[in-house]
Structures are given as structure tokens and as C-alpha cells.
Amino acid sequence: KQDEFLGYAEFQIPHMDAEERKVQELHLGSSGSTGSTESEGRVRIELMWEPACQRKSDTFVLFASRGLNTVMGLRFFSIANLAIAGLLLLVAQGSRWLCGGGSFAARG
């Protein structure tokens, strides 16, 4: 079955706050008209805006906040921090051959 053009309607998208819902019913008119009561039909438009990332559902933030509020969580994060610092120290010591002279500014 081929689509059939029923009419034309114009709708300006309003400013919306989070979780706010807008519903508007428009009358369909001929092309270029703003719609009238003598139209071939109506269309109902419902808009709702929701934030893409809510703090309640962000699992990493929830995990980190709960983990930092326990003694075991603090121990884990402090050990992880020391491990990362140790790895960075090993990389820095292993790359000393890139520099020459008594300081970084000296050119060999």
C-alpha cells in the first residue's frame, strides 16, 4: 500500500526541563497553512526529555563512591595507587637513555 499525504502541521519545539513532558494536538492542513479546524485530520505530538547519563544509574560512580566509604575499599584504592606509581617509576628509570647530560635541558 502506498503512503498517502494527510496534511501539513507546524510545531515549534519548546524549551524543556529534565523529566518534563509536553503534549500538543495539531490540526492538519494544506501545505503552507498553519492548520485549521476544517482539516483532514489531527496529529498528537508528545515530547519528553531525559538526561543521557543519570548519576543514579552510573555504575562506575556508584562503585567508586561505595568503595571509598569502606576500609577495604580504601586499602584497595591505595594499593592500586602505589602500584601505578611504581609502574611509572619503572618506565621513567628505563627511559633514562633517552636523555644525555646533567639535566633535561642539556643537549648531548
Side-chain angles (χ1 to χ4, degrees):
K1 184 176 176 182
Q2 192 174 7
D3 290 339
E4 186 178 324
F5 181 73
L6 298 175
Y8 176 85
E10 202 171 289
F11 177 70
Q12 296 291 330
I13 298 176
H15 172 75
M16 297 176 68
D17 295 324
E19 305 287 331
E20 184 180 354
R21 183 179 183 154
K22 300 264 185 183
V23 178
Q24 188 164 357
E25 197 166 300
L26 303 169
H27 294 279
L28 297 174
S30 61
S31 179
S33 71
T34 56
S36 66
T37 55
E38 302 170 3
S39 62
E40 296 182 24
R42 295 181 307 200
V43 64
R44 179 183 170 132
I45 298 175
E46 296 185 26
L47 295 175
M48 183 173 176
W49 179 79
E50 294 179 1
C53 180
Q54 296 178 354
R55 281 218 175 269
K56 296 178 231 170
S57 64
D58 194 359
T59 53
F60 177 74
V61 172
L62 186 63
F63 170 75
S65 66
R66 286 186 180 167
L68 289 174
N69 287 332
T70 63
V71 174
M72 289 300 292
L74 286 174
R75 284 183 187 162
F76 172 77
F77 283 118
S78 64
I79 291 171
N81 195 15
L82 286 173
I84 292 171
L87 287 174
L88 289 175
L89 181 65
L90 287 173
V91 169
Q93 284 183 341
S95 61
R96 285 194 171 271
W97 61 272
L98 292 173
C99 303
S103 69
F104 289 116
R107 292 184 182 176

